[in-house]
Amino acid sequence: MGTPGLWSVAIFLPLFPLSVIFNALFARVGNAPMRAIILLAWPQVGLVLFGILPPGRVAGGVVALAVLGSLLYAFRAIALRDVDRWTGYIATSAWALLWPALAHHAAIDTLRLYALGFSVPLALLVLVADALKRRFGAAYAGLYGGTVRMLPRLAGATALVVLAAVAVPLFPGFFALVAVMVTTIPEQPWLAVCVGLTWLLWTWGGIRLLQGLIVGPGEAVAPVADLSRVEFGFYVLTLALLIAGALRLPGVTA
Amino acid sequence: MSLRLGQTLKIRAMAYVAGEPIPFFWPMRSFIHHNPLHGLEHHPFPEAVARGERLFQARGFLPRSGYQRYLRLGKVDRAALGAGVEAFLAQREAVAGIDLPKWILALMTRMDRPVVAGSGLAREADVVVALRGGPIRGTVPGADHVRARLREELLDSRPVYEAVDLLFGTGVGAELDELVIKSCLDFFDEGQSVWSMPGRERGFFAAWREIARRSGRLYLRGLHIGRILRDEEGPEAVIVRVMETLGVGEGRWTTYFTRELARLHGWAGFIRWRSGARHYYWAQRYPADLVDFLAVRLALGLALLGERARTGPTTEPELERFIEDRWREAYLRHELFSGAVLPAMAARVERTLAAGRPARIERLYEEYVAAKRAEEARDQAERLQVLAAMSDGQEALSRLSAEDLGRLVGILRDFERGEGMIWLNAMENRAVERLLGGIRPGAPPADGKRPFAQALFCIDTRSERIRRHLEGVGDYETYGIAGFFGVPVSFMELGKGSEVHLCPVLLTPKNLVMEIAVAQGNDDVTALTVLEKAFHELKESVLSPFVTVEAIGLLFGFDMVGKTLLPERYNRWRKRLHQRKPRTHLLLDKLSREQADSVIRAVQRAVIAKAIAQEFGLEAEQIHDAVVRELREVAMGHAQGAPKLAAMLGLDATSEQAFIGRLRTVYRINPSVVRLQMERLGRLGFSLDEQVVFVAQALKAIGLTENFSRFVLLVGHGSTSENNPYESALDCGACGGNQGLVNARVLAQMANKPAVRRRLREQGIDIPEDTWFFPALHDTTTDELRLFDLDRVPASHVVYMDRLRKGLLAASRLCTQERMPTLLPSPASLSPAAASRYAARNALDWSQVRPEWGLAGNAYFIIGRRALTQSFALEGRAFLHSYDYRIDPKRRLLETILTGPLVVGQWINMEHYFSTVDNERFGSGSKAYHNVAGRFGVMTGNLSDLRTGLPAQTVLDRGFPYHEPLRLITVIEAPFDHAWRAVEEVSVVKYLVRNGWIRLLIVDPERHCVDVYEDAAWSRRPFPGTVQSQPAEESVPS
Amino acid sequence: MKALVVAVAAVPFASALLVQLFGARLRRGAARVSVGAVALTFVLAAATLALALDGHAPAQFALARQWGILLFDPLSTLMAVVISGISLVVHVYSVRYMAEEPGYARFFVLLDLMTGTLLVMVAAGDLITLLAAWHLIGVLLYFLLGHDARSRAAHRYASWTLITYRLGDLPLVLAAGLLYHAYGTWSLPKIFAAIGTDPRAHAVLGVPLPEVVAALVALAAFARSAQFLLHTWLPYTMSGPTPVSALMHAGIVNAGGFLINRFAPVFVHTADVLPGVFIVGLITALIGSSLMLTQNDIKKSLGYSTMGQMGFMIMECGVGAFALAIFHLISHGLFKGTLFLGAGGVIHSAREDDGVPKDDLYTFVVEKRPANQRRPWILMAAITLAVPVVILMAAHFLVSQDYFQEQGAIVLLFFGWITGAQLIFATYRMRAQNFWRLVVLSVFSFAIVIVGYTLISHAFDLFLYPDASFRRGLFAAADIGAVRFDALVGLVTVSIVAGWVFTYYSEQGRGRRREVRAGRWWSTLYALGSREFFLTDLYTRLARALEAAATRLNVWLRWV
């Protein structure tokens, strides 16, 4: 595995120091659809590059670096209140977890599905964050809250999308993470424990974010319009498709 | 450092004064409805509500959307709204080109959010520019302006840790509340925990210090509480040291203490009541007062500040310096952590403050303030445009100059601050109109015919319905009297053994009444064999066979399934297992000295007989009275040996002496105990002339002095509900949150006594021979009327009993039919039978959070004859107290009604008012999350302040208020000067009326006019509706 | 048959979907739909139990290719009946109890989803379904406990629960990974068969596979059933509505016992995992019961009493009586569910007896009773210790002789008495009646409880683990040397007597000198107890430290 090739893949499947590129780019891009596309495309590019490069064993050290980098970003995400940066950190943390599967010669198209499984909920989260920005000026946890009573559909969509992002069961993330842990257990069990801890930190970060966005007295919320039925239907339908796809996800269940 | 006496007394005085505005909190075992702003009642109502809102951070009026909903339902008098707006605009000069009344009426009736928003960074000029859509420029507000606002916002009115929380987001306040609540729970627990806090006798602060010092070392690394709590100091010394460490000026200590107490006003109210309640058992055993509470709170506060805010400022001088030299950072920090930050820049502000580089903070401050001013101006402009569109004044608004706009915004801000009162007055006007439309002052001439039965009900609003139906069912007359029938009683129940005060909280009873069982365990003796005794022992105990069902039932879920799926049948079956309460009599006649002595002697003989039976296993026939009498003499020290006993049992001298010794110690047959019992017996019961006074007072107060019918029912009221911490709130408020049956039985027993009737006849109240007073209980949850003490009814009355029972049953079923639709999820009209079944189910269903609506909906307090309100269906919204001014020339009876029942009515009304307008702060939130703490109070969830006030289920109906929040509208049916002079003489009620806590109307039946007291002036209006020319003249009795 | 088993799990999910879609229009009707659906589920579950009872062979039904297997075996049918029964009662209770709450339809949707997920977990035939259901329960419980969307505190406490549950999921995923890696399949029956044939076949880092997997499964069970050090979330779940607490303490918290029973074929081949489980259960039972006695509010005292009972259940698993653990979690569920649903009645019982001692005049004139002479505490403690032991011995002769030999059984029945004592403490207040009557009553109800325990647990044994050799294997796996066993029995006896001494101290508390020295030691212990051994404070500080570290990290690595 030539180092230059590795570095190029490491940009797209972000290893720790190189993740600065993705995060900086993600922070710069303003409008929501553009960010969603970046989220969807970024890991796929990495996998394509990995496919092109001559096949070779991925060094153990790289896998360790990937898992530890993922743990670092998950840990940093628990203190974030800004939804956009949170999405960026969770994306970095999730894609880095593809390295262990790469190291164990998992089929590339399975990994492509895993990457998609991680990216789609995050893309939806970017759209939800945009909806929040249009209504409250910013998607920032702990500032307004209380949307459950005032804007039930928006709060419902936010909750479901955040749960999908933190790999709650029956969403693809869940099966991907189980597959990653199963592959890493035999050789380096402590890596599997790190992946588990990352997953725990995702849940903790996701719940803190949710509490800041939907929980609260709600009187302070200015009278703004709730999501339309169509928009809410879109989110629910996408998530339902995600679950349907996840049920037939190869790899774990193959 | 030990304090001089002077300083200690000063601290205690300060704590007392600081505790004034905090309302009392009574244990929920006897729920007392009280006015949450009782401490502010010496201010006029609007000003007191404003102070209450600031102190308790609560809302004093419904949000505007709530009043708009009432407007749509027709509960608000539009004309009164217009008049209120006119009055408000009268003192303010008009704004050029703006039709102010139209604008303000549009604001009130159509706009659902406030029109003036924001803390006012943006000046009028910016709003004008924003109106015209231009970019906002201009100078940034200067340093001293920001410093002044920060100092006023952070230092003047807040405790230090609240200021630190608002600057650094440390959350010290929340954690301090939890620690203080946990300490209070440990100390004030009344039997919930088996292992309770050791050393509670030494007082709250001393006991807490023992525990805190020990847990100080391990507890929180930096919490150097040990250093704060040196050994030899009292609570006052700790308070002084903490306040001096915090650097708070001595002048502001009292307001500081009030703010501290207001944060946990549930616990503070409970401690304040408990320190004053001398009769309260737990207060005697474990004393505690507000000074202890303040000392605990301040000590923990200082410790937490030291631990959590190590780097930043932790005392007032440091805060002062922080605001002085780093005012930009202070402003930004305050914006971020108080939640007022501009959403768009929130992330940047947080990152810059976290980085903490002064240069970057300064640049950010400039940018932030400009953006904030622009945003505020835009927001204010946008709200003004919305209002302008509603009152089609857009172009007038756009033509306004900056100075005019400033005045317009000022007027709108003042209006929104006082808007609640205008809505309240308008709703009250509509309610007064509705009332005056219904009542008939000209009483029809009494037809002299003797009614079949007369019934005295409590003034409770729920009695109005059952009285109306009882009168409709047959030839019945009903009267309204205070629920305790004017007889304050300290009652000792059979099986409970401790005294309960059955009277309003304002009074303390002087007379004790004891309950003894009629069949005094005579089957005790008949148990023959040992097995029978054992079985009897088991059966006779309060738990008896119920135990095994309980043990098995709980393990296998009989309870869980039974109580949930078929509550009535299962609970009725369980009740049958319980020991039926034996029929009892009340000991209420005062004993003379020799009577008391003979009682003591009789009891001693019984105890001795029992002692012999137990000690020597003798049977009843072997114990001879002479032996018992002799033993008593010996035990009391009047004689030496007990030859008869020794002879009978062949005892030698030592065992005989031993037995006598045991008699003296274990069985308490000795002179000292007898002296104590004699003194206690002296307090028992009522003397004859006391009884005469009470009966006369009760009958005269309601104007029932002649034409008595054969049956006079004294109907106390109570409620039955399952799994309901607020069951005492549904019982009788006048009996201190207990059932009114005992007071009814006491008054009935007194009134049926021939000696009392003779003395009454001498005073002019002639009760005919065949009149009998029946105690009865009205169960307000199922509307069931049950008669009591039927075993003492004279034979002559038994014949009429089934007609009476039929009448009562008919009245309760009709009353349930009228009441039940309001309780069903979807209001459907029901047959009386179906309604009664629903009511019975509500009373026994443990998942029913609202067994009945209770006192919700109370609005009126009518003092007058029943004829005034007989023809008007008040839907259970009025306290009705019968009163006949003609037999009360010296106005003494009216004054007793005003001091007792009216004040209790006002408390009930204010409790419902404030629990409705802000159920989270003044009320106690939803019952689904309540958690009973220490067997006397309720918390929400794991750990919260003691929840005062009424739950959401009592005053709200699916989020919207069910109880219309109005002040109590009091109507007195009497000549104007008669009523007004009575009110003047009762100072408490005078100030309630003057300060606007009650609305007073005086209906003059003779001149057919009504006088309304409105903002410190009387206005006389002719009586609407039928104006009968001839005033009804009755012969005034001698 | 397959349709029946699948329907039991599917009906609650269908009802949840129905209520969610038409909730707004149905308003109160939503509750009736939900109650009807759960009633149907209960009937179906009862039908499957009936089939299992009359000897139907265990079977499995795969929904998807590799995973999604639903088992039909005694354990799953029994637990399905228990869960749907308790859920039915909670549903009926909530129809009126939650009528005034905002989010009424949402509450019933979450209740149905929780019931459905529990039924799937109980019937899970493969590791993936088990993991998915196990994880989903934690998430659904978070949203049920945080039902009051207005209160941030409720959500803060609910996140404690979720974090502990997620901590419990981690070992389960590792165990699943190890098993999949070793045996190449997710299906539990296949794995258990493979382990059965050759337990020592695989090893992880030198330790035989069953030992490691059993330890990991035990860890997962500890987190779910609030064992010591992972218990702080249980007493602080009282911010949720009362019906949720009832459902949780009756149906969800005891999932740990179910999990250990499900992995019984793995535990059979372990040597020293079960004694460890026993120790943890013992510590939890003692600490939970003692903390229960210091709590000042009804719901937290019930919470700690559940912790004690869960410790006791794990102890039962630890000694090998797996079936008795199932019976105990069912009876405790009904017992605790009833106490929770009726928790509001404390004020009513306080109005009848508010702890104020009877007035002297009253006891003399009305009751003519001798002054209540001080009870001989030592005698009373001895009696409540000796009497149950006698009953235990008597109970044995009712049950077959050989059952008595297993040491574990003796310990078990000896602890059967703890439930009796727990029952007495919870239901009656000791100091209310006079002394002799109380002794008669306690003996009477102990007898009922103990005899019931012995008979019914034996019946459960026959139903859940029919083949006797498997049962003996379980007891063998849990066997600890005779010496350590006796030491344990002695330790527990001493702790029970110590319990009496504490009660004696807290009742007395008068200031004699000897008292003062003991008083100081006793108030240190009370300080420890009232702060719940400082665990909650420790964990909160740990969480706050982590967040502060993350914030500082974000500041330093601003650009990366």
Side-chain angles (χ1 to χ4, degrees), chain C residues 320 323 403 458 461-462 465-476:
Chain C
Y403 183 71
H458 201 52
D461 247 343
L462 297 182
Y465 298 101
D467 101 43
S469 65
F470 185 86
R471 282 208 307 276
R472 262 197 300 286
L474 278 180
F475 282 120

Side-chain angles (χ1 to χ4, degrees), chain C residues 32-168:
Chain C
R32 258 182 289 285
V33 166
S34 181
V35 166
V38 173
L40 175 62
T41 318
F42 178 70
V43 166
L44 293 176
T48 53
L49 182 63
L51 285 177
L53 275 175
D54 62 22
H56 221 91
Q60 52 175 324
F61 312 98
L63 301 178
R65 239 178 13 280
Q66 264 281 355
W67 61 289
I69 299 169
L70 293 182
L71 282 180
F72 166 79
D73 70 352
L75 181 62
S76 70
T77 47
L78 183 65
M79 289 300 285
V81 168
V82 167
I83 287 170
S84 49
I86 286 173
S87 175
L88 175 63
V89 168
V90 168
H91 269 79
V92 171
Y93 185 88
S94 304
V95 168
R96 280 190 188 74
Y97 195 79
M98 302 295 287
E100 289 303 308
E101 296 306 312
Y104 186 63
R106 171 163 54 97
F107 181 77
F108 278 95
V109 169
L110 285 172
L111 268 188
D112 286 345
L113 284 178
M114 177 59 92
T115 315
T117 318
L118 280 169
L119 291 173
V120 165
M121 177 189 83
V122 160
D126 70 294
L127 288 168
I128 290 288
T129 323
L130 183 64
L131 283 178
W134 188 262
H135 184 142
L136 210 54
I137 287 174
V139 173
L140 286 173
L141 187 58
Y142 170 80
F143 284 104
L144 270 172
L145 288 175
H147 182 66
D148 181 5
R150 287 189 305 269
S151 138
R152 286 201 168 85
H155 276 259
R156 189 160 41 85
Y157 287 120
S159 54
W160 286 11
T161 309
L162 183 60
I163 301 295
T164 320
Y165 273 36
R166 291 294 295 112
L167 212 59

Side-chain angles (χ1 to χ4, degrees), chain B residues 130-182:
Chain B
L131 276 174
R132 295 189 180 81
I136 306 288
R137 271 181 316 286
T139 59
V140 175
D144 40 22
H145 167 72
V146 169
R147 283 201 192 94
R149 237 161 54 75
L150 277 178
R151 200 169 295 116
E152 182 264 335
E153 175 68 23
L154 289 178
L155 297 182
D156 294 353
S157 62
R158 287 183 191 284
V160 172
Y161 56 81
E162 255 180 46
V164 168
D165 282 352
L166 281 178
L167 282 179
F168 300 91
T170 44
V172 171
E175 191 170 351
L176 175 62
D177 284 349
E178 280 191 7
L179 290 177
V180 170
I181 291 170
K182 183 71 175 110

Side-chain angles (χ1 to χ4, degrees), chain B residues 966-1015:
Chain B
L966 304 173
R967 288 173 292 180
L968 193 64
I969 297 168
T970 315
V971 176
I972 302 178
E973 184 207 21
F976 175 74
D977 52 12
H978 177 91
W980 182 237
R981 275 218 302 283
V983 170
E984 285 292 316
E985 268 141 38
V986 179
S987 65
V988 172
V989 176
K990 180 172 73 175
Y991 286 112
L992 285 182
V993 174
R994 281 247 170 75
N995 289 334
W997 291 86
I998 307 181
R999 299 293 305 274
L1000 182 60
L1001 279 81
I1002 297 178
V1003 169
D1004 187 334
E1006 278 143 14
R1007 278 194 298 283
H1008 273 290
C1009 63
V1010 59
D1011 297 88
V1012 180
Y1013 187 83
E1014 229 162 357
D1015 35 47

